[in-house]
Amino acid sequence: MTTAGDIMHRGAQWIPAHETLDRAAQLMRELGVGALPISDANERLCGILTDRDIVIGCVAVGHDPAKVTAGEMAQGTPRWIDASADVGDVLHEMQEHRIRRLPVIENKRLVGMISEADLARHLTDEQIAGWAESVYAHSSTTH
């Protein structure tokens, strides 16, 4: 059985909810990523911040990224998967919630992230096609 832990990208890092968006952007640049899980004071997942969130939700509306925090951008219920979960559960979670990045948790701690690139490297063409159809087909009809 292939698990979330098998296909995830290790070394994911939190951005604390109190950190500003300019610091989040710097961390994204340093890590070469487009998304960061947001942690609360107890290092529990409280959201995910993307580079697009920073541009569209802050800069494009005239806010100063040095004054807006990652926690202020956190919206909705954060989704995650346990490292021991089957890859079928990973696909289901991402399809069901139409998400492109999924934090992986083990013993209540962040251990990695699963992105589209991780799926492409580890799944069959049929699995990827089904995932892409469900995630992208629905979102393109709503925008």
Side-chain angles (χ1 to χ4, degrees):
M1 168 178 92
T2 302
T3 67
D6 295 330
I7 68 170
M8 72 181 181
H9 176 80
R10 294 196 177 275
Q13 291 186 22
W14 299 109
I15 185 80
H18 68 272
E19 285 286 355
T20 58
L21 297 186
D22 62 339
R23 178 61 191 126
Q26 293 164 0
L27 186 56
M28 287 179 188
R29 183 189 63 222
E30 290 168 15
L31 297 173
V33 299
L36 294 169
I38 303 168
S39 69
D40 65 15
N42 297 317
E43 291 194 355
R44 306 283 308 241
L45 181 67
C46 64
I48 293 184
L49 178 68
T50 67
D51 48 7
R52 186 175 194 281
D53 294 332
I54 295 170
V55 172
I56 302 297
C58 178
V59 176
V61 295
H63 295 149
D64 182 353
K67 295 182 178 171
V68 178
T69 67
E72 290 174 281
M73 297 297 291
Q75 299 177 9
T77 302
R79 308 306 309 177
W80 57 273
I81 195 95
D82 191 86
S84 63
D86 181 77
V87 72
D89 295 331
V90 170
L91 290 173
H92 176 75
E93 185 72 14
M94 293 176 85
Q95 289 169 325
E96 178 76 16
H97 300 285
R98 296 186 342 258
I99 54 177
R100 297 177 180 115
R101 297 170 182 98
L102 187 63
V104 180
I105 306 293
E106 186 173 58
N107 298 321
K108 298 183 182 180
R109 296 287 179 223
L110 178 70
V111 293
M113 287 279 281
I114 296 174
S115 68
E116 295 165 306
D118 297 314
L119 296 179
R121 280 192 297 274
H122 296 284
L123 302 180
T124 67
D125 289 345
E126 288 177 3
Q127 288 173 311
I128 293 169
W131 175 83
E133 182 178 341
S134 67
V135 171
Y136 288 108
H138 189 282
S139 64
S140 65
T141 61
T142 60
H143 295 285

